[in-house]
Structures are given as structure tokens and as C-alpha cells.
Amino acid sequence: MENSKGVRNIKDSIYWWEAFFNVFKSTVGTGILTLPEAFLTAGLVSGSIGLIFVAAICIISLNLLVDANKIACQKLEVSALNYGDLVKFAFSENKYSSKFSFYGKVTTNLITFLFQFFVCSAYIRITAETINDLITIVLGTSSHIPLWALIFLMELPFGAIAVVRNMRIISIFSGFAVLLLTISLVSIFTEISIDVPSPSGLPLYTNFWMTALLMGRTIYSMESIATILPIENKMKRPEHFRLVMNSAFIAITLIYLAFALIGFMKYRFEVADVITENLPDTVFFKIIRVLFGITILFTYSIQFYAMNLVVIPLVEKYLHFKSSIFFTVLLLVTAQVLIAGIFPNVDLALSLIGGSLGAILFVVFPPIVGILVKENDKSSLTSGIALYKSFCFLILVFGCFITLTSTAAAIAEIYQSVRH
């Protein structure tokens, strides 16, 4: 709970800079490396506009969610709510939707679980591939260790990280990941910024479908909705979170835009699907690629934490034997390792789930929650509620459009992979 000064009295509360690290690293991942190629298909101008448009919708949706969460916590006289409980509260505020409140919570928790589960599975595979690359660099020759063996060896380190439920410790992991990520991105950006040719001759606009695909890829690369409320719930001073979140996402948008534009202008029509493939084949940039992969390992904790918030309440409710939470966490990690080892294209499954179900969490549910919660908020001016609801409805329309395009982008990506 909060004291009279608005400070949360919980043992693992975090400061604003720790929240910034967690928001930043739970959002920025390997998706940034694919954006230059996305600009090739969409065009310089339409790609820039599409990226900025999606980022704006994401930021607005997150603010709607945080605002609704604040109102709900005040009404229920609690210090924190998870996403599922917030959706349940929002649906219960309206006489027409109240009968669906339980199903709204179950649906939200199920989507959150599926998305975070596949995120974590993809992280395990990426880390194993990174270790394989590191072994190659050290030995100077290709590693003879099968990738599946490295993946199954990931059970120990990822299992140890998964049992961590203290947000202060998780923030340390995120801070270290941000440090490595900064080194990697600065090194990559420095290389691609050298001798950038004129953009003349590059397509400014291709067609609507390609722009829609870019928007889908952008929403997928910015999805961190499942981690936002858990981070806000642990803020020592929750009134600072909105500034922290908005600052992080504005910075992320600018970084994404710079990488996409400069990367496309530098390598033009030869830009690779992942821009690190265009970098010089030197030991330095091999190490940089490894550092980028290692950041994934230290981001696993915050992603698994978001999934824990869905699973652990169920474990506490239905399983009463000693160490049930510990064994459940290890069972989940084992399942993720198996998925990462058996299915080489787990990232494609994540792309589909993130582009469809994840987008629903990110840009469809927030305006709906905003409308339902604000409708019965007596602290709001009556004259302003209609305008607020109209604004939320507009965001909902855009959110549905982005969800459809991101789903189409994921299906197209899977189709191309299977075809080739």
C-alpha cells in the first residue's frame, strides 16, 4: 500500500531509473535489426510515417491502460492490479459487459501467458545460438556441439533466472542488459552511419500492402504490454511512471526510426533481412553480435516475471504442496526449452501470436478498458467523458486496423518461410 506521501511500502519497490531499464529492455529486442529491410519493402516516406503512426498508437494505448489502472486501484482501494484483473474490473463497470467480466480476465491472462511463453522460448533458442557463435569465435572454427544440445543445456541458467521474483534483482538484470544493448547498438549504428549515400533513387512509397506489413512488424517489435503494469505496480513513486514510460517509448521510437532510415540508406537494395548480416565479417562485429544475443539472456527475467503473474496465483489456489511454485516454474522453463529445441522456427510462431493476440492486448484492449473505466469515473467531468470515449473509439479503430495488418504480416512471413 501507499503512505500519505504516495510512496509504496513494498519490499521490492523500484526507483524511476530501474523502471526505465525494465521498460526499455522489455521492449527493444531483435526486431530493431529487421526494420531497415522493412523500409526497403515500404519505402522511405511511407515507412517513416507508418513507424511513427504505430509508435504513437502504442504510446497512447499504454497511457490509456495506466490511467484506467490508476482509477481502478483507487476504486478498489488496492495498490496494484495485473492486466487480467484490470480487464475484469473494466467489464464489470458496465451493465452490458459485466456478465463477460470473468471471461475477459481469463482471455487476457491466456493471451498474456501464450505470448510470454513463446517470447521466453525464442529467447532460449537465441541465447543458445549466441553461445554457439561465441564458441566459434574462440575456437576459430565451427562448433561441433549440436545446437539442440546447447539449447537443452540452457535449462540450468534460465531455470535459475526464472525463479527470481524480486523486482529489484530483475532491474539489475535489465540494467546490465541495457548496458550491453547500448554498446551493441552504438557499435552497429557507428558502422552503418559511415559514408551513407544520398537517398536519391530509393523508393519513397511502394504500396499500401507493404506499408501495412511494416506497421505489423513495428507493432510486433514494440510489444511489451505484458510487462508494463507489473513494472508500474512495483514503482516506489507510481506518479512518476507515466513520465518514465513515455520517455522510454519516445527514445525507442527515435532509435528505431534512425536505425531503419540509416540502415536502408546505407545498404540500399542489398539490405539484409537482419542488418547485422550486412556488417563486416570481422572478429569485432562477431563479438558485437554475441553481445546483442547475451542481452536476451538478461531480458528473460522480466519477460518470465510477467508470465509468473498469471501462473502463480493459479498455483497458489489449486496446488498446496510444499515448493509447488518452484516446481511449476521449473516445469515451465523445461517446456520452453523443449519448444525451443524441437521447433527451429519458434520465432515464426511468436510472430503470429504477437502479431495477432499480442496486438489485441497492446492496441485493442486498452481503449476498450479506457472507455469502460472512465464511463463510471465520478472524478471526471461529464462534458469530458464523451470526448474521451470518442478519442478511445478512434484509437480502437486504429488498433483493430493495426492488429489485422500485423496478423497479415505474420502469416505472410510464415508463408514465405514455408515456401522457401
Side-chain angles (χ1 to χ4, degrees):
M1 296 298 290
E2 299 176 15
N3 61 23
S4 58
K5 295 182 179 180
V7 178
R8 281 203 177 110
N9 296 316
I10 49 179
K11 63 178 182 179
D12 60 340
S13 60
I14 57 177
Y15 293 97
W16 67 266
W17 61 84
E18 295 171 303
F20 182 90
F21 288 155
N22 283 320
V23 172
F24 190 89
K25 193 59 202 78
S26 65
T27 304
V28 179
T30 55
I32 186 175
L33 303 178
T34 67
L35 289 177
E37 192 273 336
F39 269 47
L40 170 63
T41 60
L44 279 175
V45 175
S46 56
S48 300
I49 294 175
L51 190 152
I52 294 172
F53 173 74
V54 171
I57 295 296
C58 291
I59 294 172
I60 292 171
S61 295
L62 291 175
N63 277 274
L64 291 175
L65 196 69
V66 171
D67 186 47
N69 186 57
K70 180 181 178 181
I71 295 172
C73 287
Q74 290 174 345
K75 281 192 174 183
L76 297 175
E77 297 182 348
V78 296
S79 62
L81 288 172
N82 63 31
Y83 200 170
D85 289 329
L86 177 58
V87 171
K88 181 181 179 181
F89 170 82
F91 275 58
S92 65
E93 286 289 276
N94 183 280
K95 62 180 180 179
Y96 299 108
S97 63
S98 58
K99 59 184 176 181
F100 302 110
S101 59
F102 172 76
Y103 301 105
K105 175 181 178 178
V106 171
T107 300
T108 303
N109 285 340
L110 180 60
I111 294 174
T112 301
F113 173 81
L114 288 174
F115 181 64
Q116 295 303 120
F117 181 88
F118 279 96
V119 165
C120 292
S121 296
Y123 280 13
I124 291 173
R125 186 173 185 88
I126 291 171
T127 303
E129 291 172 347
T130 299
I131 292 176
N132 193 42
D133 292 340
L134 181 60
I135 294 174
T136 300
I137 293 173
V138 173
L139 297 180
T141 183
S142 299
S143 171
H144 297 291
I145 303 177
L147 182 60
W148 63 264
L150 288 175
I151 291 174
F152 285 103
L153 286 175
M154 294 296 100
E155 173 81 24
L156 185 60
F158 279 97
I161 292 174
V163 297
V164 176
R165 296 168 57 195
N166 187 296
M167 186 59 80
R168 297 299 302 273
I169 298 176
I170 292 174
S171 298
I172 294 174
F173 289 151
S174 295
F176 185 65
V178 169
L179 174 62
L180 295 181
L181 181 67
T182 301
I183 295 173
S184 302
L185 293 182
V186 169
S187 300
I188 295 172
F189 192 74
T190 300
E191 171 63 26
I192 67 176
S193 300
I194 298 175
D195 298 327
V196 178
S198 168
S200 60
L202 295 178
L204 301 181
Y205 170 79
T206 53
N207 57 63
F208 172 80
W209 175 245
M210 290 303 174
T211 303
L213 291 179
L214 175 131
M215 294 171 65
R217 190 173 296 184
T218 302
I219 187 72
Y220 165 64
S221 65
M222 293 189 103
E223 278 177 357
S224 58
I225 187 69
T227 63
I228 292 298
L229 288 185
I231 296 170
E232 193 273 343
N233 290 338
K234 293 296 183 178
M235 281 278 288
K236 185 177 288 291
R237 291 187 173 274
E239 71 272 13
H240 295 163
F241 181 72
R242 192 186 297 272
L243 177 60
V244 169
M245 179 184 69
N246 290 336
S247 299
F249 269 86
I250 290 173
I252 290 167
T253 302
L254 294 175
I255 292 172
Y256 276 21
L257 185 61
F259 254 81
L261 282 173
I262 301 300
F264 177 37
M265 290 169 59
K266 172 66 178 286
Y267 299 109
R268 302 174 74 82
F269 297 100
E270 281 75 42
V271 63
D273 292 344
V274 179
I275 198 170
T276 50
E277 296 178 7
N278 290 114
L279 299 177
D281 189 23
T282 63
V283 173
F284 174 76
F285 282 107
K286 287 181 180 178
I287 294 174
I288 291 300
R289 284 192 284 267
V290 168
L291 286 181
F292 197 95
I294 293 175
T295 65
I296 299 299
L297 171 65
F298 291 98
T299 312
Y300 181 84
S301 57
I302 185 64
Q303 301 291 356
F304 198 93
Y305 180 85
M307 188 175 65
N308 260 342
L309 294 179
V310 175
V311 175
I312 289 179
L314 296 176
V315 174
E316 292 175 336
K317 183 177 181 179
Y318 296 107
L319 301 178
H320 304 291
F321 63 88
K322 188 177 181 180
S323 303
S324 58
I325 294 177
F326 175 78
F327 286 111
T328 300
V329 168
L330 291 186
L331 180 63
L332 287 172
V333 175
T334 301
Q336 291 166 1
V337 168
L338 288 173
I339 292 295
I342 295 173
F343 299 103
N345 293 325
V346 65
D347 56 322
L348 293 181
L350 174 62
S351 175
L352 179 59
I353 292 175
S356 54
L357 301 182
I360 291 174
L361 287 181
F362 207 156
V363 291
V364 175
F365 278 8
I368 294 176
V369 169
I371 292 172
L372 296 175
V373 171
K374 205 74 171 181
E375 187 175 25
N376 293 319
D377 180 27
K378 293 180 174 58
S379 64
S380 301
L381 295 175
T382 305
S383 59
I385 292 180
L387 181 62
Y388 181 89
K389 290 171 66 175
S390 299
F391 177 74
C392 287
F393 182 76
L394 182 63
I395 298 301
L396 176 60
V397 172
F398 286 139
C400 290
F401 170 74
I402 293 173
T403 301
L404 291 174
T405 57
S406 61
T407 302
I411 294 174
E413 187 177 7
I414 293 174
Y415 174 75
Q416 291 296 330
S417 176
V418 173
R419 186 179 179 184
H420 293 94

